[in-house]
Amino acid sequence: MDDAARRRQQQPAVGEGSSAKARELDPPLHAIGFEVEELSPSRITGRLLVTPTCCQPFKVLHGGVSALMAESLASMGAHMASGYRRVAGVQLSINHFRSAALGDTVLARAVPVHLGRSTQCSREELCMLTFDWKVWEVKLWKMDPSTGEKGPQIAESRVTLLCNLPLPEEHKNAGDALRKYSKL
């Protein structure tokens, strides 16, 4: 298979929607069934149907899956908000208030709470670089099956990301999928 055919095969089919976005934007999110809905530097939303793949043995959403959603959504948002510069999560805290059971749909929303405070890195090899810190809040709710609206909140996270990291040449296109789907 030539390179052009391989690229066509990897492109989402027209009409695949939010699942295609997740596949292109974050393969681990896609693997658990997460669907990206809204995507911008100031807000990211999506949903996840709780399946056996994302449950712990008691048939409720695994806390690690909640953390995966939080880190992934915050990282996408910080990447866009930093002008598609490289970002790295440096701290994640999460509180779980309620559980989401097998078959529930979880709604997720990530928004920035702090978009920059420059600091100089003290590591010798990076000492000439200035970095931004971005903090994102990610909330998860169970969807009310009778109304289709947001129901009780199940978790809340804070994700701190180091931004404006040097971007290696081989990763210069890392933000292309975000640019493709984002509302800028």
Side-chain angles (χ1 to χ4, degrees):
M1 180 183 307
D2 68 357
D3 286 338
R6 189 173 296 111
R7 280 192 301 275
R8 279 191 305 276
Q9 185 179 27
Q10 292 173 347
Q11 292 297 315
V14 175
E16 280 187 304
S18 55
S19 180
K21 284 184 204 175
R23 180 177 54 246
E24 224 177 318
L25 296 169
D26 194 301
L29 277 184
H30 174 70
I32 61 168
F34 190 86
E35 296 182 358
V36 177
E37 294 173 343
E38 186 178 349
L39 186 65
S40 78
S42 61
R43 182 180 167 102
I44 300 175
T45 64
R47 63 184 61 224
L48 173 73
L49 175 63
V50 180
T51 65
T53 302
C54 48
C55 280
Q56 43 106 307
F58 298 105
K59 305 294 183 214
V60 296
L61 182 65
H62 193 290
V65 171
S66 299
L68 170 66
M69 289 190 287
E71 176 99 17
S72 295
L73 298 180
S75 294
M76 284 188 262
H79 185 57
M80 288 185 286
S82 68
Y84 298 96
R85 302 286 306 269
R86 184 175 167 204
V87 301
V90 294
Q91 200 275 332
L92 166 70
S93 65
I94 187 166
N95 290 298
H96 294 96
F97 309 123
R98 294 177 179 81
S99 62
L102 183 64
D104 285 340
T105 298
V106 174
L107 304 176
R109 183 195 71 207
V111 295
V113 292
H114 180 74
L115 283 181
R117 182 176 132 230
S118 293
T119 187
Q120 187 119 17
C121 184
S122 61
R123 287 183 45 196
E124 184 176 320
E125 69 272 17
L126 301 174
C127 67
M128 299 306 293
L129 302 173
T130 301
F131 298 99
D132 264 342
W133 295 96
K134 300 198 184 317
V135 179
W136 281 68
E137 176 183 74
V138 183
K139 292 185 178 184
L140 305 177
W141 297 270
K142 248 193 304 194
M143 187 175 86
D144 184 329
S146 62
T147 65
E149 298 294 320
K150 184 170 53 175
Q153 186 176 352
I154 63 168
E156 184 168 323
S157 307
R158 285 248 171 179
V159 184
T160 303
L161 301 109
L162 184 59
C163 301
N164 298 335
L165 293 164
L167 188 61
E169 188 61 38
E170 64 271 17
H171 297 294
K172 291 288 184 197
N173 298 328
D176 287 354
L178 283 170
R179 284 184 188 93
K180 177 179 174 180
Y181 292 111
S182 70
K183 297 177 185 177
L184 291 176

